Amino acid sequence: QKEVEQDPGPLSVPEGAIVSLNCTYSNSAFQYFMWYRQYSRKGPELLMYTYSSGNKEDGRFTAQVDKSSKYISLFIRDSQPSDSATYLCAMSANRGSTLGRLYFGRGTQLTVWP
Amino acid sequence: NAGVTQTPKFQVLKTGQSMTLQCAQDMNHNSMYWYRQDPGMGLRLIYYSASEGTTDKGEVPNGYNVSRLNKREFSLRLESAAPSQTSVYFCASSEADRSSGNTIYFGEGSWLTVV
């Protein structure tokens, strides 16, 4: 079992829809949770970062972490065609030798059509 | 604002040939990484260097070697390329600390095809 599981999709939604992207994980040591966005033929870029449990909002994007369920989510409100990309979740621990190593999900491919 | 720069962007190799992917970062980060990305497999860590002078194996190190030349540069070498090494390679860097966790910054990628 991979440490981080993410449904690869693809996910296709109309413009203006609310998008929900999710990951589950197995390692209770994970404390830092990130979402990366990757456009076609580009490198991943950091979109959202959250420490421990709770919510974080940035414009149309909201990241949620539920450590009790080992489940993280990214919500995109009023989705736009420019949001079409692959979204990767990533996480890391804060103790021991694993500090500094990120564990990635496989990525979910999202298409927002006009 | 260069960030992480990797070269070459595209390369075609014949089986058995060798090559080195170069990577440099200008953010004064201690940690650097090499990942490969394959369809359906996501990002997989090949090697990483937590600090200058140290390197460690990741998930898929076989067939690769690395060199942390200095704090800025981290190269990935394929000694004898195989078709299974056809992939997109990403170099990355980070400054891991307890206040920010580990935010990794990626280069633009190197598309490698081994025929």
Side-chain angles (χ1 to χ4, degrees):
Chain A
Q1 181 192 6
K2 279 179 69 69
E3 297 211 53
V4 181
E5 298 284 353
Q6 182 178 11
D7 186 341
L11 187 61
S12 181
V13 301
E15 182 175 357
I18 297 174
V19 176
S20 173
L21 304 167
N22 311 293
C23 289
T24 60
Y25 63 96
S26 57
N27 189 343
S28 58
F30 289 148
Q31 296 278 0
Y32 302 95
F33 304 91
M34 283 140 275
W35 286 94
Y36 283 81
R37 178 175 61 195
Q38 185 177 21
Y39 290 115
S40 180
R41 304 189 76 79
K42 295 289 187 181
E45 57 179 344
L46 181 66
L47 187 62
M48 297 280 287
Y49 158 78
T50 309
Y51 171 68
S52 194
S53 286
N55 294 359
K56 186 173 184 178
E57 189 173 318
D58 183 2
R60 296 184 295 110
F61 298 89
T62 299
Q64 288 186 352
V65 176
D66 182 350
K67 290 190 68 182
S68 63
S69 301
K70 296 190 177 68
Y71 188 87
I72 69 171
S73 301
L74 177 71
F75 297 96
I76 307 174
R77 292 183 300 281
D78 187 25
S79 57
Q80 302 294 311
S82 58
D83 296 328
S84 298
T86 297
Y87 291 80
L88 301 103
C89 63
M91 46 201 80
S92 69
N94 69 341
R95 59 175 181 262
S97 61
T98 56
L99 175 63
R101 285 189 58 175
L102 273 187
Y103 295 83
F104 283 89
R106 290 190 296 166
T108 300
Q109 185 180 341
L110 171 67
T111 300
V112 181
W113 42 276
Chain B
N1 200 5
V4 179
T5 304
Q6 52 182 114
T7 57
K9 193 166 181 69
F10 301 98
Q11 183 73 49
V12 178
L13 284 179
K14 293 182 179 179
T15 297
Q17 284 185 320
S18 62
M19 79 158 296
T20 299
L21 298 176
Q22 306 286 354
C23 176
Q25 52 94 5
D26 62 3
M27 295 174 281
N28 202 36
H29 287 163
N30 280 317
S31 300
M32 297 187 72
Y33 311 81
W34 277 106
Y35 288 87
R36 60 178 289 174
Q37 188 174 38
D38 303 287
M41 301 295 290
L43 281 162
R44 292 184 291 170
L45 183 65
I46 305 171
Y47 270 94
Y48 68 103
S49 170
S51 61
E52 187 178 353
T54 68
T55 60
D56 285 286
K57 296 179 180 179
E59 301 173 68
V60 288
N62 291 344
Y64 304 95
N65 285 302
V66 291
S67 295
R68 183 72 183 267
L69 304 170
N70 48 55
K71 190 172 185 179
R72 289 187 65 247
E73 298 172 289
F74 188 38
S75 63
L76 178 72
R77 183 162 178 83
L78 287 69
E79 292 290 352
S80 179
S84 61
Q85 294 178 305
T86 293
S87 187
V88 184
Y89 291 86
F90 289 100
C91 178
S93 71
S94 73
E95 189 58 61
D97 61 57
R98 294 186 182 278
S99 64
S100 63
N102 185 26
T103 303
I104 286 187
Y105 297 88
F106 287 86
E108 290 284 277
S110 295
W111 275 254
L112 177 65
T113 301
V114 183
V115 298

PDB file of all heavy atoms in Angstrom, chain A residues 1 4 20 40 84 89 113:
ATOM      1  N   GLN A   1       0.854  -1.197   0.000  1.00  0.00           N
ATOM      2  CA  GLN A   1       0.000   0.000   0.000  1.00  0.00           C
ATOM      3  C   GLN A   1       0.887   1.244   0.000  1.00  0.00           C
ATOM      4  O   GLN A   1       1.799   1.383   0.783  1.00  0.00           O
ATOM      5  CB  GLN A   1      -0.887   0.006   1.234  1.00  0.00           C
ATOM      6  CG  GLN A   1      -1.816   1.201   1.297  1.00  0.00           C
ATOM      7  CD  GLN A   1      -2.490   1.365   2.662  1.00  0.00           C
ATOM      8  OE1 GLN A   1      -2.164   0.625   3.594  1.00  0.00           O
ATOM      9  NE2 GLN A   1      -3.389   2.286   2.786  1.00  0.00           N
ATOM     10  N   VAL A   4       0.517   7.380   0.300  1.00  0.00           N
ATOM     11  CA  VAL A   4      -0.462   8.402  -0.075  1.00  0.00           C
ATOM     12  C   VAL A   4      -1.274   7.891  -1.257  1.00  0.00           C
ATOM     13  O   VAL A   4      -0.714   7.480  -2.264  1.00  0.00           O
ATOM     14  CB  VAL A   4       0.227   9.719  -0.459  1.00  0.00           C
ATOM     15  CG1 VAL A   4      -0.802  10.775  -0.821  1.00  0.00           C
ATOM     16  CG2 VAL A   4       1.129  10.199   0.673  1.00  0.00           C
ATOM     17  N   SER A  20     -13.936  19.125  -5.871  1.00  0.00           N
ATOM     18  CA  SER A  20     -13.401  18.531  -4.652  1.00  0.00           C
ATOM     19  C   SER A  20     -12.357  17.487  -5.020  1.00  0.00           C
ATOM     20  O   SER A  20     -12.641  16.542  -5.753  1.00  0.00           O
ATOM     21  CB  SER A  20     -14.518  17.875  -3.843  1.00  0.00           C
ATOM     22  OG  SER A  20     -13.992  17.161  -2.745  1.00  0.00           O
ATOM     23  N   SER A  40       0.244  21.031 -18.124  1.00  0.00           N
ATOM     24  CA  SER A  40       0.829  20.091 -19.069  1.00  0.00           C
ATOM     25  C   SER A  40       2.228  20.531 -19.479  1.00  0.00           C
ATOM     26  O   SER A  40       2.462  21.704 -19.801  1.00  0.00           O
ATOM     27  CB  SER A  40      -0.082  19.995 -20.299  1.00  0.00           C
ATOM     28  OG  SER A  40       0.447  19.105 -21.235  1.00  0.00           O
ATOM     29  N   SER A  84      -7.677  23.988 -15.268  1.00  0.00           N
ATOM     30  CA  SER A  84      -7.427  22.673 -15.876  1.00  0.00           C
ATOM     31  C   SER A  84      -5.949  22.323 -15.740  1.00  0.00           C
ATOM     32  O   SER A  84      -5.076  23.017 -16.266  1.00  0.00           O
ATOM     33  CB  SER A  84      -7.832  22.684 -17.353  1.00  0.00           C
ATOM     34  OG  SER A  84      -9.214  22.939 -17.483  1.00  0.00           O
ATOM     35  N   CYS A  89      -1.394  15.931  -4.359  1.00  0.00           N
ATOM     36  CA  CYS A  89      -1.249  16.161  -2.932  1.00  0.00           C
ATOM     37  C   CYS A  89       0.142  15.668  -2.515  1.00  0.00           C
ATOM     38  O   CYS A  89       0.728  14.787  -3.167  1.00  0.00           O
ATOM     39  CB  CYS A  89      -2.329  15.457  -2.138  1.00  0.00           C
ATOM     40  SG  CYS A  89      -2.326  13.655  -2.253  1.00  0.00           S
ATOM     41  N   TRP A 113     -14.393  22.752 -18.427  1.00  0.00           N
ATOM     42  CA  TRP A 113     -14.791  23.149 -19.780  1.00  0.00           C
ATOM     43  C   TRP A 113     -15.730  24.346 -19.731  1.00  0.00           C
ATOM     44  O   TRP A 113     -16.540  24.481 -18.833  1.00  0.00           O
ATOM     45  CB  TRP A 113     -15.386  21.966 -20.552  1.00  0.00           C
ATOM     46  CG  TRP A 113     -16.331  21.082 -19.794  1.00  0.00           C
ATOM     47  CD1 TRP A 113     -16.005  20.037 -18.980  1.00  0.00           C
ATOM     48  CD2 TRP A 113     -17.765  21.181 -19.776  1.00  0.00           C
ATOM     49  NE1 TRP A 113     -17.137  19.471 -18.453  1.00  0.00           N
ATOM     50  CE2 TRP A 113     -18.234  20.147 -18.926  1.00  0.00           C
ATOM     51  CE3 TRP A 113     -18.677  22.030 -20.392  1.00  0.00           C
ATOM     52  CZ2 TRP A 113     -19.587  19.947 -18.693  1.00  0.00           C
ATOM     53  CZ3 TRP A 113     -20.018  21.839 -20.161  1.00  0.00           C
ATOM     54  CH2 TRP A 113     -20.472  20.812 -19.309  1.00  0.00           C
TER      55      TRP A 113
END
